[in-house]
Amino acid sequence: MLPSKKSAQIMCTLLFTFTTTSLWASSLADVPRPRGVSLSKATLYKPRSDDSWLCLDGSKTLKFVQINDDYCDCADGSDEPGTAACAEGTFHCANRGHRPQDVPSSRVNDGICDCCDGSDEYLAEGMCANTCIELGKVEQEQRKSQAEIYKKGAAKRTEMVERGKQLKAEREKRRTELDARRQEQESLKAEKELLKKQAEAAETEAINFFKEQQKEMDDVAAANAPIVDDSFRTEATASFMRYDLNKDGYIEISELQQDLQLDRDRNGVISEEEARYFLDERERIDLEAFITLSWPRIKTMQMIAQGLFTPPEGEEHNDEVSELLNEEQRGDQKAEEDHVQDQQFEGDEEEEEEEVYEDEDIGAGSVEAEKSPEVEYDPDTQHFINMANEARNALSEIERAVREIEHEIKEIDDQNAKDYGPNDEYATLEGECYNFEEREYVYKLCPFERASQQPRSGGSEITLGRWDQWLHEGENKYGKQKYAHGASCWNGPQRSVVVVLKCALDSRITGVSEPNRCEYYFDFETPAACDEEAFAAAEQRFKDEL
């Protein structure tokens, strides 16, 4: 029975791969190695004395002839670098004349030319043209042009390095000056605190003395105030409401002129003088004053008008009658007078305790006297209050100055803690902002501060990230920056930005992409990235690879 086409192809492949394991390539220093193995790994593919070979992960020992036999024996795929048998395998393209390249082994003999020398499609001889020489020439021209950019950019970078070091020196000098100023202000603050303490002590003493005097005056006034019983007050209040025609809480001359019972001279008219007599010679009077001052006089006149009382002959006795009426009311309340005084005494004690508490607050500076405008102090007391206020204000000014100094010191310390590159060449970018406009958005990058996005049609700016760190990749420690903890996406993570830095003669954003949701990439060019020495070292490594 004739073998099938597929079986024949497999047999051909096995035969071919078996042959390649015993025939070593003569490329690059003629170091023997299996197909798909790079020069750097050639020593790993040497047979042992017994023609055995150990998988690179150490998991299994094979016969050396099993390498590239189109059957995956090793878990890491290291036994099939030149076939597509292992999913984890890697095929190395030598690409002489251009740069070497590693591709997944799954691409070997898949009908697509991945290596410029066509070595990945060795079963289809002639299918892939060798374009490495042409590609190498193009890349060589590109690298030559790039070297010229690095050379010119390096000159600008040198200027940025000098400016970065100058900025650092200026910050350190300013930091020293601020430390000295802070010490001075702290000493002055201690002095102002002492003056404030002394001024508030004098203020407290003056206010307490003023309150004691005020209390004595209030006690005298309370002792001399007429005592009014409930029935007297009720009757007086009802009359007050009747006289208060416009219901404004006051009784005026015109309102009393409506009651003819108050006609003292019996001429049928209530004159202003007569009305003033009942208002204690005032223009108007409120309820409390009406009860104590007006009602005794008005009640007397009402009783006379109603024939309930006959006064002595002569108008001069009207006042005496009113006083007698007051005395009568006092006599009715004599039994309660001591009780009222006891209540007043207890209330005064409570008020005194509250005053002591307030005085303690004033002494601590937490309650300032000017916050109680309803209290009018005498000139001497007010002088001490003003002095204490001035002391408090002076201390507040010093404290504000200390806070401003400490804030500036913190800003300087934050700047000094940032990594501005190996020679501070990126320091000059801080404080600058760069925009990039596309169809829908305007992107902004403020190096070492934040990155943002704003719709071109208008709308609020969205923070994409704030300065976080450098993303080191191998030997290139300053090729990428990360800005993290931006505004949260809807039902997603916080936004973040990776800034990829490239050498150029000017600083600008050249592109923005969002490869993953809420994860942005900014391409940023700047002379600060034109490290000529690093570029030369990379060129040498490239030549060594070739």
Side-chain angles (χ1 to χ4, degrees):
M1 184 177 181
L2 295 175
S4 65
K5 182 177 180 181
K6 184 175 181 180
S7 299
Q9 185 178 6
I10 294 175
M11 291 177 63
C12 181
T13 301
L14 289 174
L15 179 62
F16 185 83
T17 53
F18 175 77
T19 303
T20 57
T21 58
S22 58
L23 297 177
W24 300 95
S26 59
S27 61
L28 295 180
D30 294 328
V31 176
R33 59 192 187 278
R35 184 187 299 276
V37 176
S38 65
L39 179 64
S40 60
K41 294 182 179 180
T43 56
L44 301 177
Y45 284 86
K46 286 185 177 181
R48 296 177 176 177
S49 58
D50 58 352
D51 288 333
S52 65
W53 180 79
L54 182 66
C55 297
L56 297 186
D57 62 357
S59 62
K60 192 174 184 181
T61 300
L62 311 175
K63 293 181 179 181
F64 188 71
V65 294
Q66 290 180 265
I67 296 177
N68 281 341
D69 64 352
D70 207 24
Y71 183 83
C72 192
D73 297 290
C74 300
D76 62 353
S78 58
D79 64 310
E80 297 296 321
T83 74
C86 296
E88 302 297 326
T90 300
F91 181 86
H92 180 75
C93 308
N95 292 343
R96 298 188 63 181
H98 191 40
R99 62 172 62 247
Q101 180 185 7
D102 288 334
V103 299
S105 293
S106 59
R107 299 183 185 179
V108 175
N109 293 318
D110 62 352
I112 299 175
C113 301
D114 296 290
C115 305
C116 66
D117 60 4
S119 58
D120 61 311
E121 300 297 323
Y122 54 81
L123 289 182
E125 186 176 356
M127 184 187 80
C128 299
N130 190 331
T131 59
C132 292
I133 300 298
E134 291 78 5
L135 292 175
K137 290 180 178 179
V138 173
E139 183 176 6
Q140 187 176 5
E141 289 298 323
Q142 292 176 345
R143 299 189 72 84
K144 182 178 180 181
S145 175
Q146 191 175 16
E148 187 65 24
I149 292 175
Y150 264 85
K151 183 178 181 180
K152 293 179 180 180
K156 292 189 175 183
R157 179 177 178 274
T158 300
E159 296 176 1
M160 298 175 75
V161 168
E162 293 176 356
R163 178 57 181 160
K165 293 180 178 180
Q166 181 182 355
L167 290 172
K168 185 175 182 179
E170 290 175 356
R171 288 196 302 270
E172 292 175 351
K173 180 181 178 182
R174 179 62 177 168
R175 181 69 163 77
T176 302
E177 294 174 353
L178 289 172
D179 279 337
R181 282 187 55 194
R182 179 167 60 179
Q183 292 179 1
E184 294 174 359
Q185 294 297 318
E186 288 290 353
S187 299
L188 190 57
K189 177 182 174 183
E191 295 177 6
K192 296 299 183 183
E193 285 177 340
L194 178 60
L195 292 175
K196 170 179 172 290
K197 184 177 180 180
Q198 294 172 346
E200 287 182 338
E203 176 193 42
T204 301
E205 184 178 353
I207 291 177
N208 288 341
F209 180 75
F210 172 82
K211 288 185 175 181
E212 289 175 1
Q213 290 185 322
Q214 198 71 25
K215 182 176 180 298
E216 291 177 1
M217 294 173 60
D218 292 342
D219 291 343
V220 171
N224 294 330
I227 301 176
V228 182
D229 65 1
D230 290 342
S231 61
F232 185 84
R233 172 177 287 275
T234 301
E235 186 179 17
T237 301
S239 296
F240 180 87
M241 298 298 293
R242 185 171 64 254
Y243 282 120
D244 186 12
L245 300 177
N246 59 5
K247 305 303 178 185
D248 63 348
Y250 293 91
I251 294 178
E252 301 175 353
I253 292 175
S254 61
E255 292 173 327
L256 288 183
Q257 288 177 322
Q258 307 299 318
D259 187 1
L260 292 178
Q261 291 183 350
L262 304 181
D263 183 9
R264 299 179 67 195
D265 57 7
R266 303 292 190 271
N267 63 355
V269 178
I270 309 297
S271 65
E272 288 189 9
E273 288 76 10
E274 289 175 316
R276 286 181 185 275
Y277 165 77
F278 295 106
L279 295 179
D280 195 36
E281 303 302 327
R282 306 180 188 184
E283 293 293 330
R284 63 177 185 171
I285 201 165
D286 61 10
L287 175 61
E288 292 302 321
F290 178 84
I291 293 173
T292 58
L293 301 175
S294 300
W295 179 237
R297 300 180 182 184
I298 292 175
K299 183 175 178 62
T300 301
M301 290 302 299
Q302 289 180 349
M303 292 174 66
I304 293 173
Q306 296 171 6
L308 300 176
F309 178 75
T310 302
E313 296 182 359
E315 297 178 1
E316 65 275 12
H317 297 293
N318 286 341
D319 290 344
E320 296 178 3
V321 172
S322 297
E323 291 299 324
L324 289 174
L325 183 61
N326 284 336
E327 289 294 334
E328 181 182 353
Q329 298 299 329
R330 290 190 184 94
D332 293 339
Q333 294 298 320
K334 184 63 177 176
E336 299 180 7
E337 184 175 4
D338 293 339
H339 176 66
V340 171
Q341 289 179 348
D342 290 342
Q343 287 182 329
Q344 289 177 342
F345 179 75
E346 292 175 0
D348 290 342
E349 285 186 335
E350 294 178 358
E351 181 180 357
E352 188 171 331
E353 291 179 359
E354 293 178 356
E355 288 174 355
V356 170
Y357 178 75
E358 291 178 356
D359 291 343
E360 291 176 351
D361 286 344
I362 292 174
S366 59
V367 178
E368 298 182 5
E370 71 267 22
K371 292 183 179 178
S372 301
E374 67 276 4
V375 180
E376 294 184 3
Y377 296 98
D378 61 273
D380 290 340
T381 304
Q382 190 63 49
H383 171 71
F384 285 105
I385 293 173
N386 294 340
M387 293 290 289
N389 288 337
E390 291 177 4
R392 282 188 282 266
N393 293 335
L395 178 59
S396 296
E397 288 295 321
I398 293 298
E399 290 176 336
R400 183 167 63 90
V402 171
R403 287 195 300 270
E404 290 176 353
I405 292 173
E406 290 178 343
H407 177 72
E408 188 175 354
I409 288 176
K410 183 180 182 303
E411 287 184 339
I412 293 175
D413 289 343
D414 290 344
Q415 284 184 301
N416 288 337
K418 291 179 182 178
D419 184 355
Y420 293 112
N423 297 293
D424 291 319
E425 61 268 34
Y426 289 95
T428 58
L429 298 179
E430 187 171 25
E432 303 290 338
C433 291
Y434 305 89
N435 291 345
F436 179 80
E437 297 187 14
E438 61 163 23
R439 184 177 59 186
E440 296 183 19
Y441 297 100
V442 176
Y443 295 91
K444 179 185 291 186
L445 174 65
C446 302
F448 299 99
E449 293 179 7
R450 62 193 294 267
S452 63
Q453 174 194 61
Q454 186 172 17
R456 294 190 63 177
S457 58
S460 59
E461 189 176 66
I462 300 173
T463 299
L464 301 182
R466 300 186 181 279
W467 166 251
D468 186 33
Q469 61 179 323
W470 289 96
L471 295 179
H472 298 177
E473 290 186 351
E475 296 182 2
N476 187 5
K477 297 182 179 181
Y478 299 95
K480 293 181 180 179
Q481 294 180 339
K482 184 176 182 180
Y483 294 76
H485 310 298
S488 297
C489 288
W490 177 256
N491 291 331
Q494 286 184 303
R495 292 174 172 85
S496 62
V497 175
V498 172
V499 178
V500 181
L501 299 166
K502 298 178 181 179
C503 170
L505 301 183
D506 297 300
S507 296
R508 59 175 183 166
I509 303 173
T510 58
V512 174
S513 62
E514 187 180 2
N516 299 309
R517 184 168 178 257
C518 304
E519 296 179 3
Y520 300 83
Y521 273 75
F522 284 18
D523 292 323
F524 186 71
E525 296 181 346
T526 175
C530 298
D531 187 343
E532 196 172 17
E533 293 182 1
F535 178 74
E539 285 292 285
Q540 186 59 49
R541 286 195 299 271
F542 174 71
K543 292 178 180 178
D544 292 342
E545 290 178 358
L546 294 179

